[in-house]
Amino acid sequence: MPGKYALILDGKVISCIVWDGPDASPMEFNDGVTYAVIDEGTDIQPAPGWNYVSGKFTPPIPSKEEQNENDIRKKESNVSLQLSLINDATQKISPYQTKLLIGRKLNDKESSLLNAWLDYIDELNAIDPNTVDDINWPEMPS
């Protein structure tokens, strides 16, 4: 039965193949090229450029430029998510604010929800999205 194999040269994956394996279908590789089974039941799916050391696959370490680009994308994503969450929350409180502006009273449930949404917006505004660290976003009121 065919399986996935990584072809390895000097500790780096150079290619991934589907192969019946060395017993069922012997193959000769170029000098220095070895192979390793890619386990089907794992989330790790190595690709060319990955490292293979001591029987383990690890992703390549990004260059400084790649890491800087990843950091910029992460920060942009955080800023975008924060703005989106604040906009959504603002839309949720809009009917309650409109009622108050025209002089109507809020019932206890509406008042409680308005305060919960305002607290949520305060929590969102307290977050600095310009970070590459994972952000623990607050839960929306229900």
Side-chain angles (χ1 to χ4, degrees):
M1 182 167 151
K4 289 184 181 179
Y5 289 80
L7 300 183
I8 300 155
L9 178 63
D10 297 328
K12 295 268 185 208
V13 175
I14 58 170
S15 184
C16 296
I17 61 172
V18 176
W19 180 31
D20 288 333
D23 295 332
S25 185
M27 291 177 69
E28 289 188 29
F29 302 108
N30 292 338
D31 282 343
V33 175
T34 60
Y35 62 87
V37 176
I38 300 173
D39 292 328
E40 296 272 337
T42 181
D43 290 338
I44 295 175
Q45 293 299 313
W50 278 50
N51 301 304
Y52 185 74
V53 178
S54 301
K56 293 188 180 196
F57 293 103
T58 56
I61 297 171
S63 69
K64 236 179 213 185
E65 293 82 17
E66 290 170 327
Q67 189 59 52
N68 286 340
E69 289 173 13
N70 291 341
D71 290 351
I72 289 168
R73 278 194 294 278
K74 174 76 172 179
K75 290 175 186 179
E76 288 173 347
S77 176
N78 287 341
V79 169
S80 178
L81 180 58
Q82 183 187 43
L83 290 173
S84 177
L85 293 172
I86 290 171
N87 285 337
D88 290 347
T90 301
Q91 288 181 356
K92 296 284 186 185
I93 66 173
S94 180
Y96 306 126
Q97 289 176 319
T98 302
K99 272 182 136 178
L100 291 172
L101 285 171
I102 63 173
R104 294 184 58 189
K105 294 188 182 210
L106 299 179
N107 63 36
D108 289 343
K109 182 180 178 185
E110 291 170 326
S111 182
S112 177
L113 277 171
L114 175 59
N115 282 310
W117 281 107
L118 290 170
D119 290 343
Y120 174 71
I121 291 172
D122 288 342
E123 290 176 46
L124 290 171
N125 280 319
I127 292 171
D128 178 7
N130 292 303
T131 180
V132 295
D133 298 330
D134 288 335
I135 294 176
N136 186 13
W137 297 100
E139 287 189 37
M140 286 186 179
S142 53

